[in-house]
Amino acid sequence: MDFVHIPVLLHEVLEGLAIRPDGIYVDGTVGGAGHSTEIAKRLTAGGKLIGFDRDPDAVEVATQRLAPYPATVVHHNYDEMAEVLTEMGDVPVDGVLLDLGVSSHQLDEESRGFSYHHDAPLDMRMSQTGMTAEDLVNTASEEELSRILYTYGEESFARSIARNIVRARAEQPIHTTLELAELIKSGVPQKVRRMKNPCKKSFQAIRIAVNGEFEHLENGLKAAFSVLKPGGRLAVITFHSLEDRMVKRQFAQWCQGCICPPDFPQCVCGRTPEAKLVSRKPIVPSAEEVEQNSRSRSAKLRVLERSR
């Protein structure tokens, strides 16, 4: 299987996780095993890497690529890691990586239906099971479609695009990516169409809804933090502002100490931080990396260390 994966911010991830040769590390989104392979290479016989992915294609490829190393790949979503790792007897761990969003393989494999550049069945399922994008666009109400496009895609023309979709499907169901792309284009002003392809935000929003990405992220962050040992690190790579905001907000909660009102003369809540930020600002790709891999352009890496 041709599963191309160029790991984004690789050096920064390895540095952020501070790999110990005898440590236990988790890649919650193993994909094509780009990051995982480099982590596993740095482990000795006493170390271990566990990779998670809900995409069966990724599980198959990552299992093959990680075979020479002290690594195991499991077919589970990363928000299930606490239960799975406990069953495996591999908690607590020294580090967790979450590389969010859609993989290059999913985008490039036309039949998966993630891309608006190719005509393919409207699928977009990372797990290849459950509700498809076709199911969503043909059954969701106009109000719900508009909410999805605006909330998950920050699409300014969400209402007109949703209206177009509902009108079109009343005549015949929407089956393919290019059918959907044309409806999106006709739902935005010509000026916007001339400036850039207007499909990106809507396809992103529908993909997020189909895969429940934000719900998995909220639960997955908590699961990842729960399995860290004191001194263990959590590294998260995001690719759009909504994800990054969720990660930033959750990291801030874990790093917050006293929550007493500012006019209290002394602390009475007794709250102490559960973690500390390894880098106060998000780490972004260098100009050189962006030139070599344009898909890294919007990536942001945040890293924290558990303190207790």
Side-chain angles (χ1 to χ4, degrees):
M1 186 184 301
D2 185 17
F3 202 124
V4 178
H5 178 65
I6 303 173
V8 172
L9 292 164
L10 176 59
H11 172 74
E12 293 83 354
V13 165
L14 296 172
E15 187 176 78
L17 288 174
I19 307 295
R20 292 178 47 234
D22 60 348
I24 300 175
Y25 292 90
V26 176
D27 186 341
T29 47
V30 70
H35 291 103
S36 285
T37 299
E38 294 303 319
I39 294 171
K41 282 180 180 178
R42 289 159 172 77
L43 302 179
T44 62
K48 186 176 184 180
L49 179 132
I50 304 102
F52 285 72
D53 212 292
R54 57 172 160 170
D55 187 336
D57 288 353
V59 172
E60 179 184 347
V61 169
T63 298
Q64 295 171 359
R65 293 179 179 174
L66 291 168
Y69 307 107
T72 301
V73 181
V74 295
H75 188 194
H76 286 277
N77 199 306
Y78 66 87
D79 64 357
E80 302 173 293
M81 73 171 68
E83 295 88 347
V84 175
L85 292 173
T86 299
E87 289 178 8
M88 295 173 66
D90 288 318
V91 286
V93 304
D94 295 272
V96 178
L97 167 66
L98 301 178
D99 180 7
L100 304 176
V102 63
S103 71
S104 294
H105 169 74
Q106 290 164 338
L107 284 172
D108 295 338
E109 182 61 42
E110 296 179 17
S111 64
R112 299 292 297 271
F114 284 95
S115 175
Y116 46 83
H117 295 299
H118 311 287
D119 199 19
L122 260 178
D123 195 319
M124 299 194 194
R125 297 171 299 172
M126 292 180 177
S127 65
Q128 302 186 42
T129 61
M131 178 185 68
T132 66
E134 180 178 345
D135 296 330
L136 177 66
V137 300
N138 284 296
T139 61
S141 67
E142 181 177 329
E143 181 181 3
E144 177 64 5
L145 283 171
S146 179
R147 184 195 67 81
I148 287 170
L149 298 177
Y150 183 77
T151 304
Y152 297 154
E154 299 180 295
E155 174 53 72
S156 303
F157 304 100
R159 289 184 179 179
S160 60
I161 293 171
R163 194 179 307 121
N164 267 10
I165 291 172
V166 171
R167 285 175 180 170
R169 78 187 191 196
E171 297 182 10
Q172 61 180 23
I174 303 161
H175 294 300
T176 72
T177 52
L178 290 192
E179 287 173 7
L180 178 60
E182 287 305 312
L183 292 171
I184 294 168
K185 290 175 183 176
S186 61
V188 304
Q190 282 194 352
K191 180 181 179 181
V192 175
R193 278 180 269 169
R194 286 195 296 267
M195 291 171 58
K196 58 183 178 181
N197 192 318
C199 297
K200 182 177 180 180
K201 291 181 178 180
S202 293
F203 267 65
Q204 170 189 292
I206 292 168
R207 186 204 83 216
I208 288 171
V210 165
N211 293 287
E213 292 178 43
F214 286 177
E215 293 83 358
H216 288 304
L217 175 56
E218 181 178 0
N219 295 328
L221 287 171
K222 293 173 183 176
F225 190 76
S226 74
V227 300
L228 287 178
K229 63 176 61 173
R233 293 189 172 189
L234 171 59
V236 185
I237 302 174
T238 61
F239 287 88
H240 60 77
S241 58
L242 295 172
E243 286 178 337
D244 183 59
R245 258 178 259 157
M246 290 178 67
V247 175
K248 180 181 180 180
R249 184 168 60 246
Q250 182 60 78
F251 276 23
Q253 289 179 14
W254 284 323
C255 295
Q256 184 177 12
C258 174
I259 55 173
C260 292
D263 57 344
F264 275 30
Q266 64 182 30
C267 175
V268 295
C269 72
R271 177 186 170 105
T272 57
E274 297 180 78
K276 64 179 181 180
L277 296 176
V278 174
S279 174
R280 298 202 64 81
K281 292 185 177 180
I283 301 164
V284 298
S286 64
E288 182 181 1
E289 179 171 2
V290 172
E291 185 177 350
Q292 293 174 352
N293 178 15
S294 61
R295 287 178 178 168
S296 70
R297 185 181 308 278
S298 59
K300 291 183 178 179
L301 169 66
R302 294 185 184 272
V303 186
L304 64 64
E305 180 178 301
R306 182 164 188 164
S307 52
R308 61 176 175 85

